[in-house]
Amino acid sequence: MAAAAAAFFFFAISLHAELGVGCYTSIFSFGASVVDTGNSLIHIGNSCPAGRLPYGETFFHRPTGRFSDGRLIIDFIAQAMGLPLLKPYLGGGGADDFRHGANFAVAGATALDVDYFLSRGIENLFSNNSLSVQLRWFEQLLPSLCSSASHCAAFLSNALFSVGQIGANDYNNPFFQNRSAGEIATFVPDVVSAIGSAIEKLIEMGARTMVVPGSFPMGCCASYLNMFQGEKQDSYDPQTGCINWLNDFAIRHNRLLVAELQRLRRRHPEVAIMYSDVYHAAMAIYASPQDYGFEEPVLAACCGYDGGAYGLNATVPCGSEGNSVCSDPSKKIWWDGLHTTEAANQIIAGGLLGPYTVPPISQACPDVNQEVDGFPGGDGHMASAIKPMGTCEKSSDGR
């Protein structure tokens, strides 16, 4: 059963953390809130909702700036590779503090620079710390980590670079400002191009192994489901309850991203570039939520819940005084409507360390993949959900 496979992964995570098994000496992570380990809290202070309980309550028992009740996907990946949890770059420190890597992700970050959106009349962005800003931070940090060209080449050849998850806010900002799906769809090639340019820049600086996550299934997001509650019945997937046309939007982003990564592989055959299919890793959960221990209403958020199928409380959101919190976050996929719970993050991380990263992480790091071999479809339960590189479903409607 899938639950048994998931339990095997949880054991593997613990074994890696205990034995310190791994192929990399450091991880450098770029992206937005789903991988932000505290930069946003340091950057904006008390106005950061993830700086207040109940954020962080499950694992850390205090808020750390992570937009979840506990650990993020990047935390589980670091643990699986025997590395410490990544420290936020904006927290400062010397070379010793970042010798095992650094996290540059900031909540609200976009792949494209702010000027791109301002030129289109899209204002009030969640953050101005775009992907290019985060790359500059890494460039500023690098001289403290290695002292010569040869030293840097050796150091970076043993580092794993995670470029994403990034791009969601490039679409969230305009969607939440009531821009049309047709207009926002025109942004997708530019978003993917920005991610590709960032990868090129990292390769120029010496990166030799990187993993690039795609988009999550946007149509399953509690905040979007709450926002588009007036959709026609045939807009919803009857099995999952997710909105088809929003998931199609995410699929288009992923299709173009896969093509860009294939181009980069041809251009840089000396670099290992892996695509993490977070879309299908997450959709496997939505297809069989009970197999993973999640309870109804499956698509509702745990924190800030106000009843109903999605029930987000707009006046008392998560992190606000008096916000409501479900009794057991481990039974929920969504934490606050835009971000997943630690329980969901752990399962998705296991999938990415297993069959949902292409080419498999085992090619670059056999030890890690051997420990989680068989997750999550060791019994064939989810094998059909795994999509080969470069394939995506056809849009369910023309939207």
Coordinates of all heavy atoms in Angstrom, one line a residue, residues 312-344:
L312 N -11.5 29.4 3.8 CA -10.5 30.3 4.3 C -11.1 31.6 4.9 O -11.9 32.2 4.2 CB -9.5 30.6 3.2 CG -8.6 29.5 2.8 CD1 -7.8 29.8 1.6 CD2 -7.7 29.0 3.9
N313 N -10.7 31.9 6.1 CA -11.2 33.1 6.7 C -10.4 34.3 6.3 O -9.2 34.5 6.7 CB -11.1 33.0 8.2 CG -11.9 34.0 9.0 OD1 -11.9 35.2 8.5 ND2 -12.4 33.7 10.1
A314 N -10.9 35.2 5.4 CA -10.2 36.3 4.9 C -9.9 37.4 5.9 O -9.0 38.1 5.8 CB -11.0 37.0 3.7
T315 N -10.8 37.5 7.0 CA -10.6 38.5 8.0 C -9.6 38.1 9.1 O -9.0 38.9 9.8 CB -11.9 38.9 8.6 OG1 -12.6 37.7 9.2 CG2 -12.8 39.5 7.5
V316 N -9.5 36.7 9.3 CA -8.6 36.2 10.4 C -7.7 35.1 9.7 O -7.9 33.9 10.0 CB -9.4 35.7 11.6 CG1 -8.4 35.4 12.7 CG2 -10.4 36.7 12.0
P317 N -6.8 35.5 8.9 CA -6.0 34.5 8.2 C -5.0 33.8 9.2 O -4.8 34.3 10.3 CB -5.3 35.3 7.1 CG -5.2 36.7 7.7 CD -6.4 36.9 8.5
C318 N -4.3 32.8 8.7 CA -3.3 32.1 9.5 C -2.2 33.1 9.9 O -1.7 33.9 9.1 CB -2.7 31.0 8.7 SG -1.6 29.9 9.6
G319 N -1.9 33.0 11.2 CA -0.8 33.9 11.8 C -1.4 35.2 12.4 O -0.7 35.9 13.0
S320 N -2.7 35.4 12.2 CA -3.4 36.5 12.9 C -3.9 36.1 14.3 O -4.2 34.9 14.5 CB -4.6 37.0 12.0 OG -4.2 37.4 10.7
E321 N -4.0 37.1 15.1 CA -4.6 36.8 16.4 C -6.0 36.3 16.3 O -6.8 36.8 15.7 CB -4.6 38.1 17.3 CG -5.0 37.9 18.7 CD -4.8 39.1 19.5 OE1 -4.3 40.2 19.0 OE2 -5.3 39.1 20.7
G322 N -6.2 35.1 17.0 CA -7.5 34.5 17.0 C -7.8 33.6 15.8 O -8.9 33.1 15.7
N323 N -6.8 33.3 15.0 CA -7.0 32.4 13.9 C -7.4 31.0 14.4 O -6.9 30.6 15.4 CB -5.8 32.4 12.9 CG -4.5 31.9 13.5 OD1 -3.4 32.1 13.0 ND2 -4.5 31.2 14.7
S324 N -8.1 30.3 13.6 CA -8.5 29.0 13.9 C -7.5 28.0 13.3 O -6.9 28.2 12.3 CB -9.9 28.7 13.4 OG -10.0 28.8 12.0
V325 N -7.3 26.9 14.0 CA -6.3 25.9 13.6 C -7.0 24.5 13.8 O -7.6 24.2 14.8 CB -5.0 25.9 14.4 CG1 -4.0 25.0 13.8 CG2 -4.4 27.3 14.4
C326 N -6.8 23.6 12.8 CA -7.4 22.3 12.9 C -6.7 21.5 14.0 O -5.6 21.9 14.4 CB -7.3 21.5 11.6 SG -5.6 21.2 11.0
S327 N -7.3 20.5 14.5 CA -6.8 19.8 15.7 C -5.6 18.9 15.4 O -4.7 18.7 16.2 CB -7.9 18.9 16.3 OG -8.3 17.9 15.3
D328 N -5.4 18.5 14.1 CA -4.3 17.6 13.8 C -3.8 18.0 12.4 O -4.3 17.4 11.4 CB -4.8 16.2 13.8 CG -3.6 15.2 13.7 OD1 -2.5 15.6 13.4 OD2 -3.8 14.0 13.8
P329 N -2.8 18.8 12.2 CA -2.3 19.2 10.9 C -1.8 18.0 10.1 O -1.8 18.1 8.9 CB -1.1 20.2 11.2 CG -1.5 20.7 12.6 CD -2.1 19.6 13.3
S330 N -1.4 16.9 10.7 CA -0.9 15.8 10.0 C -2.0 15.1 9.2 O -1.7 14.3 8.3 CB -0.3 14.7 10.9 OG -1.3 14.1 11.7
K331 N -3.2 15.5 9.4 CA -4.3 14.9 8.6 C -4.8 15.8 7.5 O -5.7 15.5 6.8 CB -5.6 14.7 9.6 CG -5.3 13.8 10.8 CD -4.9 12.4 10.3 CE -4.8 11.5 11.6 NZ -4.3 10.1 11.2
K332 N -4.0 16.9 7.3 CA -4.4 17.9 6.3 C -3.2 18.1 5.3 O -2.0 18.0 5.6 CB -4.7 19.3 6.9 CG -6.0 19.3 7.7 CD -7.2 19.0 6.8 CE -8.5 19.1 7.6 NZ -9.6 18.7 6.7
I333 N -3.6 18.3 4.0 CA -2.6 18.6 3.0 C -2.2 20.1 3.0 O -1.0 20.4 3.0 CB -3.2 18.2 1.6 CG1 -3.5 16.7 1.5 CG2 -2.2 18.6 0.5 CD1 -4.2 16.3 0.2
W334 N -3.2 20.9 3.1 CA -3.0 22.4 3.1 C -2.9 22.9 4.5 O -3.7 22.6 5.4 CB -4.1 23.1 2.3 CG -4.0 22.8 0.9 CD1 -4.8 22.0 0.1 CD2 -3.1 23.3 -0.1 NE1 -4.4 22.0 -1.2 CE2 -3.3 22.8 -1.3 CE3 -2.0 24.2 0.1 CZ2 -2.6 23.1 -2.4 CZ3 -1.2 24.5 -1.1 CH2 -1.6 24.0 -2.3
W335 N -1.9 23.8 4.7 CA -1.7 24.5 5.9 C -2.5 25.8 6.0 O -3.4 25.9 6.8 CB -0.2 24.7 6.2 CG 0.1 25.6 7.4 CD1 0.7 26.8 7.4 CD2 -0.2 25.3 8.8 NE1 0.8 27.3 8.7 CE2 0.2 26.4 9.5 CE3 -0.9 24.2 9.4 CZ2 0.0 26.4 10.9 CZ3 -1.1 24.3 10.8 CH2 -0.6 25.4 11.5
D336 N -2.1 26.7 5.1 CA -2.8 28.0 5.2 C -3.5 28.5 3.9 O -3.8 29.6 3.7 CB -1.7 29.1 5.6 CG -0.6 29.2 4.6 OD1 -0.6 28.6 3.5 OD2 0.4 30.0 4.9
G337 N -3.7 27.5 3.0 CA -4.3 27.9 1.7 C -3.4 28.0 0.6 O -3.7 27.6 -0.6
L338 N -2.2 28.5 0.8 CA -1.2 28.6 -0.3 C 0.0 27.6 0.0 O 0.8 27.4 -0.9 CB -0.6 30.0 -0.4 CG -1.5 31.0 -1.2 CD1 -0.9 32.4 -1.1 CD2 -1.5 30.6 -2.7
H339 N 0.1 27.1 1.2 CA 1.3 26.3 1.5 C 0.9 25.0 2.2 O -0.1 25.0 2.9 CB 2.2 27.1 2.5 CG 2.6 28.5 2.0 ND1 1.9 29.6 2.4 CD2 3.5 28.9 1.1 CE1 2.4 30.7 1.8 NE2 3.4 30.2 1.0
T340 N 1.6 24.0 1.9 CA 1.3 22.6 2.4 C 1.8 22.4 3.8 O 2.7 23.1 4.3 CB 1.8 21.6 1.5 OG1 3.1 21.9 1.0 CG2 0.9 21.4 0.2
T341 N 1.2 21.4 4.5 CA 1.6 21.0 5.8 C 2.9 20.2 5.8 O 3.4 19.8 4.7 CB 0.6 20.1 6.5 OG1 0.4 18.9 5.7 CG2 -0.8 20.8 6.6
E342 N 3.5 20.1 7.0 CA 4.7 19.3 7.1 C 4.5 17.8 6.6 O 5.3 17.2 5.9 CB 5.3 19.3 8.5 CG 6.5 18.3 8.7 CD 7.1 18.3 10.1 OE1 7.9 19.2 10.4 OE2 6.7 17.4 10.8
A343 N 3.3 17.3 6.9 CA 3.0 15.9 6.6 C 3.0 15.8 5.0 O 3.5 14.8 4.5 CB 1.6 15.6 7.1
A344 N 2.4 16.8 4.3 CA 2.4 16.7 2.9 C 3.8 16.9 2.3 O 4.2 16.3 1.3 CB 1.4 17.7 2.3

